[in-house]
Amino acid sequence: MNEDIKTLTISIYTENNIGLLNRISAIFQRRHINIESLTTSQSEIEGVNRFVIVVDITESQAKKIIGQFEKQIEVIRAYYHTEEETIYQESGMFKIKSDLLFDEPQIQNIIKESNARIVTVNKDFFVLEKSGRRQEIELLRRELNAFGIMQFVRSGRIAVTKEEMKITEMLQAFNNQ
């Protein structure tokens, strides 16, 4: 049976311990799975971090990987979600020569049409920030490439699920035992 490869968002709730990122990435490496995006931050629960990892894999691979994550001592819970089950964004920043902002009216149109915002301007450069889906940020990058981008960086995905995950209740029940 051939399963379709899908873009999945994996959420891993963990304690904040040294070396955990290495072990998480090793699970993907052993299976020859490329991580498309990885973001980690404080979660909605005090003292618990959340990894948000985007990968292109089958659902059966995802189930196996989730099982491997949950064997890690520091991992509290791991989930995977399809694109349709999540609300997500990425952010990109673009550093561009300042003279282009004033000399190229097309740059101003691109900024306005893309809903990007100017973060800072000085005599040498200006910085744009664009939040949205990856394809929106990539479109802006392609449009600005024609004028020259001094620096570009894009964040990993941040995501929340449409359905309640109930991780908070699970942890509170666990803490009360």
Side-chain angles (χ1 to χ4, degrees), residues 1-165:
M1 173 174 104
N2 285 341
E3 278 188 87
D4 289 337
I5 292 177
K6 300 178 182 180
T7 299
L8 298 176
T9 301
I10 296 175
S11 295
I12 309 170
Y13 287 84
T14 71
E15 297 174 22
N16 187 13
N17 288 354
I18 295 171
L20 183 58
L21 177 58
N22 253 356
R23 291 194 305 281
I24 287 172
S25 65
I27 290 170
F28 289 107
Q29 183 182 11
R30 282 193 298 272
R31 289 169 177 71
H32 302 287
I33 297 170
N34 189 43
I35 295 172
E36 299 297 326
S37 166
L38 184 145
T39 306
T40 184
S41 70
Q42 173 69 39
S43 75
E44 64 274 21
I45 304 148
E46 185 69 31
V48 175
N49 283 13
R50 181 177 176 191
F51 287 80
V52 177
I53 303 169
V54 179
V55 289
D56 293 327
I57 58 176
T58 65
E59 285 198 50
S60 62
Q61 284 177 305
K63 288 174 185 171
K64 290 176 186 172
I65 288 171
I66 295 300
Q68 288 294 301
F69 290 143
E70 290 186 341
K71 289 179 183 176
Q72 301 295 313
I73 291 172
E74 301 91 342
V75 172
I76 299 163
R77 195 68 201 265
Y79 305 89
Y80 75 90
H81 303 282
T82 64
E83 300 273 285
E84 297 78 27
E85 296 171 327
T86 58
I87 300 164
Y88 57 92
Q89 294 269 300
E90 293 183 9
S91 184
M93 292 182 75
F94 305 83
K95 181 177 171 183
I96 302 166
K97 291 182 182 175
S98 283
D99 57 349
L100 292 171
L101 186 59
F102 306 107
D103 298 342
E104 290 287 343
Q106 196 175 357
I107 291 266
Q108 293 178 20
N109 290 337
I110 291 170
I111 294 168
K112 185 177 178 182
E113 290 170 9
S114 69
N115 291 320
R117 69 181 187 94
I118 298 174
V119 176
T120 189
V121 178
N122 69 31
K123 64 182 179 75
D124 298 319
F125 63 86
F126 69 100
V127 176
L128 290 176
E129 184 273 334
K130 168 70 179 154
S131 292
R133 299 284 175 110
R134 178 170 287 203
Q135 51 270 35
E136 295 173 66
I137 296 166
E138 280 302 308
L139 175 63
L140 180 56
R141 187 181 63 78
R142 285 193 303 273
E143 290 175 339
L144 293 173
N145 253 351
F147 300 97
I149 298 172
M150 297 169 71
Q151 289 182 38
F152 168 72
V153 65
R154 183 180 54 236
S155 73
R157 177 179 290 188
I158 56 173
V160 295
T161 59
K162 292 179 182 176
E163 296 294 319
E164 186 179 1
M165 288 179 66

